Amino acid sequence: MPARLEIALRPELFDAEGASIARKARDYFGYEIDEIRTVRVITMDARLSAGERQRLRADLFTNPVTEESSYQPLDLPADWVIWVGLLPGVKDAAGETAAEAIEDLLGRPLASGEACYTSKLYFVREGGSGLSGAEEERRLTRNDLARVARELLANDLIQRWQVWRVVPSATAREAESEAGIWDPSEGIGYVIPRVTLEHTPRVTEIPVGSDAEMLRVSAERDLFLDPRDVPAIRRYFSRRRVREARRRVGLDRPTDVELEYIAQARSDHCNHNTFRGRFDYVDRASGERLEIDSLFHTFIEEPTLEIARRKPWVISVLWDNAGVGRFDERHFYTITGETHNSPSNMEAYGGSITGIVGVYRDPLGTGKGSKLVLGTYGYCVGPRDYAGALRPRLHPRRLLDGVIEGVRDGGNKSGIPTPFGLVFQDESYLGKCLVYVTAVGIMPSEVAGGRSDRKRTSPGELVVMCGGRVGKDGIHGVTASSHIYSERIPAGHVQIGDPYTQKKMHDFLLVARDRGLIRFITDCGGGGLSSAVGESARFAGGVEVELDRIPLKYDGLDQWEIWISESQERMVVSVAPEQIQAFLALAAEHAVEATVIGRYTDSGYVHLTYEGQTCAYVSLDFFQSDFPQWRFAAEWVPPAARGLAEPVLSEPRDHAACLLAMLARPNIASKEWIARQYDHEVQGGSVVKPLAGARRDVPSDAAVVRPVLESTRGLAITQTLHPTYSRIDAYHMTAVTIDEAVRRLIAVGADPEHIGGVDNFCWPEITYHPERNPDGKLKAAQLVRSCLAMKRSCLAMGIPLLSGKDSMYIDGALAGAFGEQHRVSGLPTLQFTAISVVTDVTRCVTLDPKVAGHLLYILGVTRDELGGSEYYEMLGETGLHVPQADPRQLLPMYRALAAASEEGHVASAHAIGRGGLGVHLALLAMAGDLGLEVELWRAPCAAPPASRATATEAAGLREDRLLYAESAGRLLVTVPTERSSAFEARLTGHPLAALGVVCRDPRLVVRGRRGAPLLDLPISALRDAWQQRYGELI
Amino acid sequence: MTSASMPAGRRGVERDDLAPAPVERSERRSRSASTAQVRALVLGGYGLNCDAETAHVCRLAGADAQRVHINELIDGKQRLESFHILALIGGFAWADDHGAGVVLATKLRRHLGEALLRFIAAGRYVIGICNGFQALVNLGILPGFEVGRFRREVALTYNDCGNFRDQWVQLRVERTPCVFDPRARQIELPVRHAEGKFVAPPDVLTRLREQRQIVMRYARPTGEAAGGEFPWNPNGAQDDIAGICDPTGRIFGLMPHPEAYNHETNHPDWTRLRWQEDRQSAQEPPGVTLFRQAVSSAQERLLE
């Protein structure tokens, strides 16, 4: 008989979680709810004596000061009761720690199959409940409570829920005919979500007589095999030498293990077929043609290798799990960026926590392993207040909440600071949200007498799997993410990352590294063991794995499932046989599961067995063999030819109201509530925080941390994205995105000679299809243009791409008002991460003006570039003149500014980004809590290169354009008067103007050409406008 | 929240009745007398995560700090009694799944309960920061009314704001026997927690006040107690309590993180202060001073 313990806060204590749900129910649905009390439920499916149960209740699970608990149902006052529990097989981390704690307290292990499961009860009291008569009509219905359960509390992909109505007395209860009446003596009953698979593992041979037959199998098994790959796969298995070799190990036709393995390895997610594809690009206007053989080789690898040759700080790029740069004489840093879009789109919390915890394994699996020192985030979602007709699976508001919380728990519980992030809202992301997660690690440059960045496996070394166990979770994750979102995508790959298990493993592996016990390490990510072991085997030249030795969460997994499952929190390590005892003993001391699952060989094969029988035997050469390159037609039609034009708009009469409206825009407004949920101080090295300024509420240009506490050297990191410019031209979107990332780093005081990049492309599907993707060729051309711009910018600015990732299917099929389906494609989006070393953090600069009397300068030229801007978007326009950036001209200016900053002339510096000068002057004023007197007309300006404006027009750019143009290459800098001549001297030859002065009177005063103020606003009004939208959120 | 803007100087106001921290003395000791150096144990493992910076700050304070995994103590590879200061650090032990610090406390009580009682009885020092403070109250070591017994009398529960929150807070430092002394009446430190609301029955609160066990209170920038008002009091703690000690002052628990203020650049306003203040007056960060005072005290009381 299981035991069910229910734990509640004492009634006199405030239930913050319940209050937050009640508030959301009121704000989102208009339901009046007086109070919600939450109850934690632990169901112990284990044989426990009455005495043991009482010990667990009193000594472990109940705080005598704040909580009450019972093995009988708690009967709290309520009108409704909602229960939410996890579905079988979904990661229940709290259940696992409960079992661990029980075992420790009782001093004995639970028996096989015994476990704990956690769930939650919500006791809901309606607003005005207890009143009678006319008030009766205001009462909530069962459907309303179901909506609360479905849309606030549970996600039916991973959870189940139930609603009961509470009836005052037992007699009244009996009189009720409807189901779902709360019985306080029964409570929720005993729900045991144990996984029991009545299944004997079996290897199946797959008939591959014809391409059609194989494609049918692919469809049946959700392999998503590309039809172009099928002939190559069939050719391999029909080769005589292959067949003879297979016969020697007892195999004939391909097994399901092999085909599943191949499907994983060939997926776009793992193999980057799109970026390695061949592009036939044509510019419809000029007739210019380009043939590109692999975007990756042409635009990423080539420039990066070229730059690496002239930048000795570049240590390792393009092959390991993360890129490696030199931090100081004794340390390297490691960096990589990932996306986790598809899973987050279906289950926001689970998807994003799995994403952040997953990306943290990359630096841990880079070189011989690095310690994680920071993480960052970028979320692109539909409008938080979306009220349109399309029906995304999760409303953007809920999706954003879930994503924020997932990254919060993933980062905070890993003990890794999250000091930077971006959020961008646009309706195009209703189809699929984007969740970017970036991770930075640090490692000593030498470990156990060898270079830390070098590693290899060798024949005879043991394959060790560390961390979590293998279950059915995450099967077909990579193949599904290589596809657009629709209701048909199997949900089996929804996972919930477990930072606790991973943190233990992280700490253990770093000790093992320092003791010289690690020869090679890599993470189990997409594709699971198949990918981690398969790739590590290339160094040794082969591997043998005994699938039956792999620890499972529950019995009954087929061999192919064990091999490709993406169960989280696992690393694969190669350990020398003479060191295995030390390695396993250390793992046990750290309470980390580690298991020898095989041995590296030089056989040339990935050889898998199960209970002694071979179930897969695939040549390592196979994946290098003759798979056809993917081909894409890319057709560029320039924006003017697509009908884009500058809008016809006159200057607004009320500049003050216009600026306040801009500050309240979702993509401008303060998002302090998100940054504050993330621990950005842990590890003790915070230098420039995510929020800066007198009131510590304005977002910084970049984050700076001291990863080595004994040193005053720092790492600066920032990110940018400008997807709306892709509405016009992804070339300029890319150039401006990279430029802004560099500018942000320069603003905080980074070294312009040491800037590394991480490119994260999220693109809609680019394969043309006349009905399903009629603009596919344009999307493909945008991708080519984006890559062209990236290469040009990186070469000009000397930025090696230390790491990167492409996620190619940010499309969704959404139901509309009349049952029709809409294909919604996300804007082509590049998130660019830039990282740099700060030689002395005590010279760092934040964006806030510091002292009244300092001079305010603007650096850079403002042009008539409002295409895709926030201002045009607010006025319902797109425009044509998209901002452009010329990196060759800008870099010398940034070097000059960096030198001025190094010499101590700069009190504050800030890159002007989305929203233009107007918005960023306001941010500056708020950050300093000091007034700014600005002579707007002094700002250097010019016509855009493409515009036909005459010289006179250019010289006098209209004031609304000066305020809201988003021209690249601009910064706002404040300088003490006594240093102004030295500062100006440093920037000789660059576009620079003294724009105004910092003053004590807390007002933003902007004067136009005629001398009268265009706007004159107190800082409190700016702050009110900027904070009103999300100010209530915590 | 009041509309008054925050004052600039917040590096820590010197307490007028105290001399400046004896910096040179401890530094000399930490370099020379290795045989007589105060040893600090920084306990890690199972999801605890502030080990590196806590060990760092202990070293800055002159101690010989060692990071030790809980299981090394349980297995007897390391012995608690060979250390003078035990630091229970921040983090998410056992993911905080069943109440912050609860499982950690259970583990410590079961496997190291006797050793902990002996450690305390020997007059050694214990600091619990954030998750470590939660563990100390769940163990019943704090408030420590009854010597030689574990008794849970207070709790740290879910923040009233309903979420994890990272912010720097103003702290009023009360006059107490606490050996972890930042030597200032008001300091600033970061809090980073979801369960930091201090809760106790009225009689316990009274006793804490009377026995001068309330070491730090959340305060307004002006120095008066926060009066429960968010965000000055970030979690709704009763009586604005941020940290308490035992009656002897040798055991200290607090929600804010002193180890996260180990360098001048940790402070949120350091780039502002640089332009507004005379840079010559740079003081030791209070996070370091607090540990330095404990190390000095341990040196005198436990080593000499």
Side-chain angles (χ1 to χ4, degrees), chain A residues 60 94 97 100 104 408 413 589 676-677 679-681 683 686-687 689 696 706 842 844 846 848, chain B residues 10 53 71 77 94-95 97-98 102 110-111 163 166 168 192 262-263 266 269-272 274:
Chain A
L60 185 59
T97 48
E100 200 183 326
D104 191 64
R408 175 196 67 196
K413 293 191 173 185
E589 182 177 298
R676 291 251 172 255
Q677 296 182 41
D679 188 336
H680 46 261
E681 308 273 353
Q683 300 194 11
S686 167
V687 175
K689 299 181 200 301
R696 306 163 185 180
R706 272 183 309 131
T842 64
C844 278
T846 50
D848 45 319
Chain B
R10 55 192 56 157
E53 62 267 41
N71 286 340
K77 288 184 189 163
W94 282 270
D97 281 331
H98 304 282
V102 166
R110 179 172 143 72
H111 298 279
N163 210 332
D166 179 323
W168 280 62
R192 317 170 325 225
N262 60 66
H263 193 265
N266 288 135
D269 295 343
W270 74 271
T271 58
R272 304 180 66 71
R274 185 171 59 171

Side-chain angles (χ1 to χ4, degrees), chain B residues 143-145 177 206-214 245-247:
Chain B
F145 292 150
T206 306
R207 201 162 163 195
L208 286 172
R209 282 186 212 114
E210 286 172 352
Q211 297 186 173
R212 307 201 81 81
Q213 288 181 250
I214 299 168
C245 64
D246 76 328

Side-chain angles (χ1 to χ4, degrees), chain A residues 523-579:
Chain A
D523 75 303
C524 270
L529 285 171
S530 78
S531 168
V533 176
E535 285 174 21
S536 62
R538 289 186 194 179
F539 295 88
V543 70
E544 285 174 15
V545 174
E546 298 170 59
L547 293 176
D548 48 305
R549 292 176 72 164
I550 291 163
L552 304 178
K553 295 181 178 181
Y554 35 78
D555 289 337
L557 261 65
D558 274 330
Q559 292 80 352
W560 67 269
E561 293 176 305
I562 300 172
W563 185 233
I564 69 160
S565 161
E566 291 177 17
S567 290
Q568 297 291 303
E569 293 87 39
R570 291 181 295 151
M571 304 286 290
V572 167
V573 181
S574 177
V575 180
E578 63 273 19
Q579 291 180 314

Side-chain angles (χ1 to χ4, degrees), chain A residues 109-172:
Chain A
L110 296 183
S112 165
E114 292 188 335
C116 288
Y117 304 95
T118 57
S119 59
K120 257 186 180 163
L121 268 166
Y122 303 87
F123 288 81
V124 182
R125 283 203 301 132
E126 289 186 25
S129 83
L131 300 177
S132 57
E135 296 295 320
E136 196 70 30
E137 290 163 23
R138 286 173 40 195
R139 290 183 73 90
L140 300 176
T141 66
R142 189 176 291 278
N143 279 342
D144 297 333
L145 273 297
R147 188 172 184 201
V148 170
R150 201 172 48 239
E151 296 185 26
L152 291 182
L153 303 175
N155 182 340
D156 57 17
L157 281 178
I158 57 163
Q159 285 154 319
R160 51 186 160 187
W161 49 269
Q162 210 171 335
V163 172
W164 294 269
R165 192 156 69 85
V166 179
V167 174
S169 70
T171 35

